[in-house]
Each structure stands twice: as C-alpha cells, then as structure tokens.
Amino acid sequence: MATTSSLHPLADSFINRLEVEGHRVTSTRRAVAQAVSGRTAPFTAEELCDEVPRVGRATVYRNIKLLQDMGFLCRVLLEDGSPRYQPSQHAHHHHLVCVSCGEVQDFVDCDLSELLRPVVRESGFEVAGHRLEVFGRCARCRGRASPN
Amino acid sequence: MATTSSLHPLADSFINRLEVEGHRVTSTRRAVAQAVSGRTAPFTAEELCDEVPRVGRATVYRNIKLLQDMGFLCRVLLEDGSPRYQPSQHAHHHHLVCVSCGEVQDFVDCDLSELLRPVVRESGFEVAGHRLEVFGRCARCRGRASPN
DNA sequence: ATGAATGCAAATTATTTGCACATCA
DNA sequence: TGATGTGCAAATAATTTGCATTCAT
C-alpha cells in the first residue's frame, strides 16, 4: 500500500513518471526521491545515503541514476571534478558554482549554439551536447567581504 | 648529469620552467614530461604510469599536477565525468570531445564572457573561471557512417 | 509467479597521504 | 647538507558489480 503521506512535488512527479514508464513504485524509491526533494544545497551521494540509512548504498546510486535520467536530479562537477547532486527543474541548464560556500545556481543556456557555430564548422564536429560550469563567488559571499 | 638526449618541445619547456621557478630537475620529471609529450590522444593517469614503470604512481600523479599547474597538461572530463589527460598548448581553451573515438580537439574561447554577462548581472556572481566541454562526433567518425 | 528491485560485500577506478629514503642544488 | 622529490603501501572517495533475496504487479 502506498503511504500517501504528502510528498514533495519533485518526489511526486518522480513517482508518476515511474508508473507511466512501467517502473516499479517501491518504498525505497519514495524515500530516496523524498530525501532528494528536501535538499536545497548540492549534496554528495554519501550524504544522501546517510539520510536514508535503511536503503543500501548501491540502491541509492541506482536511484540517483534513475532520477538523473528522468531529469529530476543533476550532477554538478566542482572545479576539481568531484561530483555533487542537486534536484533540478529545468531540462537543459548550466551551473554557477560558488567556490566559497558551495552554492550552485542554475542558469539557462543563453545561446551557446550560436557561439559554437564557427567552431563546429571548422572542426566538422556533430555536436550532441555540452557541459558548462561557471565558477566564482556568489553575491552573498562577496558581501561577506574578505577575499578568502 | 642531465641526459641531454632530445626532448620533445613540451618536455623541454617544462624543464626550463622548473629551473626558472626553482623546482628541481629530476630524471623522473624528465621521463614523465617526455611520456606526456609523446601523446597525441587523451590518456588516463594509469596509462601514463604504465609508460613510465620505473616511476611510482604517486609521483606520476604529483607531476601530472605540476604539469597541469604550469599549463602543459590539461584534464578533460568525459561525459560521465571520468578524467583524461592531454598535453596542451593554449593557455585557456575548451574541448570538443568525440564520444565515438575519444579524440579531443581544443578550441579557444570564442567569447563566453559576453554570453555570461546577463547571467552574471542577475546573479551577482563574481566569475573566476569556467569549464566548457562539448560532446559529439568528430568529422572522421561521421565519415565512417553508421550512427553508432 | 515472476521479473524487477534491493541489500551486501567485494571489486573498481582515480587519487591522496604518511613516512622513510634518495638526491638535486 | 638540507630541503625537495620519490617510492611504497595503505587510505580515501565515488561508484559498480555479482548474486541471492524480496517485493510490486
């Protein structure tokens, strides 16, 4: 029986998609989706595991992947390449990563394709996708002065 | 005594920079730099280790980092985030990564800053850097037909 | 009932670290 | 001779995989 306790909208959408696409709706998936939905700041897979101790690590990863594939979660690579996860709304977007506090803001693709046009023409590449991450300091951290 | 056997230009420049910046010039560093210089395709740290078996893995990593810091080598993150290394010429550039054959072409920053201007204004971010990776199929792989 | 989902432990991949020893300057 | 660099083995971090078991449908 589905515990119809109120789910975050993201978790709710996820459950719906599961049904629509013929995946199974399990309590585990509900728990993971709910934990992800509650997050505001980027988190590590390990932190998510800690939040759902009853769920095995491998399963957490499997569901992280599922959430990503469905567009409910995205993986952000910090400057050193270490991964963080964050719930997402926008289908295609990029990230403003604050190197000071770790906050990540989404921003929609201005028009990268335009910029890439000459590059593509010269290289003969057939572009399938791209990843753009911008690093810097967020407004809040700049406010807190001190260039640390 | 420095084995003055002909070094690749990249390795040579590296050695010079070492001297200039007061780092030590060791046979290990020469070997690693030479191995890196000989590469045309992106490689893994492990592959580099295999190419200089007499050098310890930790030291290979330490020198990879040094080469990166000095701008002679850059780290490319593939679509899944797995890292590859590649000798580099340009100070600041981005990558065209062929998902079919793994080739990586550099391209210089057209003018991303222009594109980011509105984003920066709205977010209040102080941009310090960015990473842009474009994924697709290179001309050669497209030529080999078959949409695999 | 039956195939998809899960849990666990072990295996991988990519690096880093501590520390004793070697070596360039 | 010293600080810097190196080797090795163990430690970390982030996932993945095999396989037996459970559970949604």
Side-chain angles (χ1 to χ4, degrees):
Chain A
M1 290 302 92
T3 304
T4 317
S5 58
S6 66
L7 289 177
H8 285 265
L10 187 150
D12 196 54
S13 307
F14 176 55
I15 299 304
N16 280 129
R17 278 283 289 281
L18 287 176
E19 288 168 347
V20 169
E21 296 185 23
H23 290 289
R24 288 184 179 171
V25 178
T26 66
S27 58
T28 293
R29 287 185 168 158
R30 242 179 260 114
V32 172
Q34 186 72 345
V36 164
S37 309
R39 295 292 185 148
T40 57
F43 54 89
T44 63
E46 200 53 35
E47 289 168 344
L48 190 58
C49 286
D50 292 345
E51 203 169 319
V52 284
R54 308 177 61 177
V55 180
R57 181 190 272 66
T59 299
V60 168
Y61 274 100
R62 285 185 280 241
N63 284 308
I64 279 180
K65 192 145 295 172
L66 194 51
L67 281 159
Q68 277 187 87
D69 291 345
M70 292 186 173
F72 294 114
L73 183 65
C74 63
R75 201 161 95 129
V76 185
L77 299 177
L78 303 189
E79 265 190 304
D80 67 349
S82 72
R84 292 292 181 279
Y85 295 92
Q86 191 173 258
S88 70
Q89 316 302 326
H90 326 286
H92 181 65
H93 62 274
H94 300 296
H95 300 116
L96 288 173
V97 183
C98 179
V99 296
S100 183
C101 70
E103 181 203 341
V104 173
Q105 277 178 42
D106 293 355
F107 71 91
V108 292
D109 191 1
C110 338
D111 193 9
L112 204 50
S113 56
E114 177 70 43
L115 254 187
L116 291 176
R117 196 164 299 161
V119 176
V120 170
R121 191 180 313 123
E122 286 166 41
S123 65
F125 251 75
E126 170 183 75
V127 175
H130 57 256
R131 170 179 53 220
L132 170 60
E133 241 108 51
V134 178
F135 304 100
R137 301 184 66 196
C138 70
R140 198 156 18 118
C141 288
R142 292 175 66 190
R144 288 205 208 87
S146 78
N148 65 24
Chain B
M1 288 304 91
T3 304
T4 318
S5 59
S6 64
L7 288 177
H8 285 264
L10 186 151
D12 197 54
S13 309
F14 176 55
I15 300 303
N16 281 128
R17 278 283 290 283
L18 287 177
E19 288 167 348
V20 170
E21 297 185 22
H23 290 288
R24 287 183 180 173
V25 177
T26 66
S27 57
T28 293
R29 286 184 168 159
R30 243 180 259 112
V32 172
Q34 186 72 344
V36 164
S37 309
R39 294 293 186 145
T40 57
F43 54 87
T44 64
E46 200 53 35
E47 289 168 346
L48 190 57
C49 286
D50 291 345
E51 203 169 321
V52 286
R54 309 176 60 175
V55 181
R57 182 191 271 65
T59 298
V60 168
Y61 274 100
R62 284 184 280 241
N63 284 307
I64 278 180
K65 193 145 293 174
L66 194 51
L67 282 159
Q68 278 187 86
D69 290 345
M70 292 185 172
F72 294 113
L73 183 64
C74 64
R75 199 161 95 129
V76 185
L77 299 177
L78 303 189
E79 266 189 303
D80 66 350
S82 73
R84 293 291 181 279
Y85 295 93
Q86 190 173 261
S88 71
Q89 316 302 328
H90 326 286
H92 181 65
H93 62 274
H94 299 296
H95 301 116
L96 287 173
V97 183
C98 178
V99 295
S100 184
C101 71
E103 181 204 341
V104 173
Q105 277 179 41
D106 292 356
F107 71 91
V108 292
D109 191 1
C110 337
D111 192 10
L112 204 50
S113 56
E114 176 69 44
L115 254 188
L116 291 176
R117 196 162 300 160
V119 176
V120 170
R121 190 179 315 124
E122 286 167 40
S123 64
F125 251 75
E126 170 182 74
V127 175
H130 57 257
R131 169 178 56 221
L132 170 60
E133 241 107 51
V134 179
F135 304 101
R137 302 184 64 196
C138 71
R140 198 156 16 117
C141 287
R142 292 175 63 190
R144 290 204 206 88
S146 78
N148 65 26

